[in-house]
Amino acid sequence: MVKYNSVINEVMRVYDAIAAGYSHLRVRAWNLIKELKPSTNWVIDVGCGPCHNGLEFLRLSKCAKLVCLDISIEMLKVVKRNVRRFPQLSTYVNLIQADMRYMPFRSNVFKRMMYIASLNHVPPHELPNVLNECFRVLDHDGEVLMTLWALTHPIVLKAFVTNVFK
């Protein structure tokens, strides 16, 4: 547990430090989010960073309610600035600072979930906890989009496949 907490604390510290600059490097949503069906219900971008993906999905869905969840408070401040670009959507956006292992939501609440390159920050032995939490808060007929930076990397691939089947 201590090792994991030190990893999470380091991720949080690094992303707090680079939040402003990082938001200028990642300025567009991934086209992959268009594969999610539009939703008029709750959608969450887990490990959202500047939340470009969540905000673009919200813009495309028009009526969804979005939660931008990240462990970095500085990233969430960037999200707040990004939301100002879409004033018509601001009432549909909620910012939550939390660890994706322990999301502060009731069960079965989200119709759509996005984990865009956020699972890469999770130590492989913690993936079962993260996936269990994902499926706890996902509605029974919900949909999840998960991406990894380098799924073909042997360590990532082995850990991901092993944990998915657990």
Side-chain angles (χ1 to χ4, degrees):
M1 184 70 169
V2 173
K3 186 176 179 184
Y4 178 78
N5 285 336
S6 65
V7 169
I8 288 302
N9 288 339
E10 182 65 11
V11 168
M12 185 170 34
R13 187 190 67 72
V14 167
Y15 276 94
D16 278 348
I18 67 168
Y22 182 86
S23 68
H24 296 295
L25 294 173
R26 301 278 184 192
V27 296
R28 283 189 229 129
W30 292 29
N31 283 331
L32 202 55
I33 64 162
K34 294 176 184 171
E35 292 187 20
L36 283 172
K37 294 177 214 153
S39 176
T40 58
N41 295 305
W42 285 101
V43 174
I44 185 168
D45 188 346
V46 180
C48 65
C51 206
H52 297 305
N53 296 297
L55 291 171
E56 180 65 9
F57 183 81
L58 179 62
R59 190 184 67 74
L60 294 171
S61 289
K62 297 197 177 31
C63 297
K65 298 167 215 88
L66 175 67
V67 171
C68 300
L69 182 138
D70 203 284
I71 200 160
S72 167
I73 192 67
E74 293 303 317
M75 278 295 185
L76 292 173
K77 289 176 183 177
V78 171
V79 175
K80 190 173 182 178
R81 287 192 298 271
N82 288 341
V83 169
R84 291 186 190 133
R85 294 186 339 219
F86 305 103
Q88 71 280 14
L89 303 178
S90 63
T91 58
Y92 300 100
V93 178
N94 297 275
L95 309 179
I96 303 288
Q97 182 186 22
D99 184 331
M100 67 177 76
R101 291 179 310 149
Y102 308 106
M103 291 190 272
F105 308 110
R106 67 182 190 275
S107 298
N108 309 315
V109 70
F110 293 105
K111 289 288 188 180
R112 305 287 178 268
M113 297 181 74
M114 292 175 245
Y115 289 76
I116 308 295
S118 57
L119 294 175
N120 290 86
H121 301 293
V122 178
H125 68 278
E126 288 290 343
L127 277 174
N129 297 338
V130 171
L131 295 174
N132 286 338
E133 189 67 355
C134 168
F135 292 114
R136 181 187 68 79
V137 300
L138 181 66
D139 192 58
H140 297 295
D141 61 347
E143 185 179 38
V144 180
L145 174 63
M146 293 181 177
T147 69
L148 294 169
W149 297 328
L151 183 58
T152 57
H153 187 284
I155 293 170
V156 173
L157 182 61
K158 179 183 177 195
F160 187 74
V161 170
T162 299
N163 287 309
V164 164
F165 287 107
K166 283 184 183 176

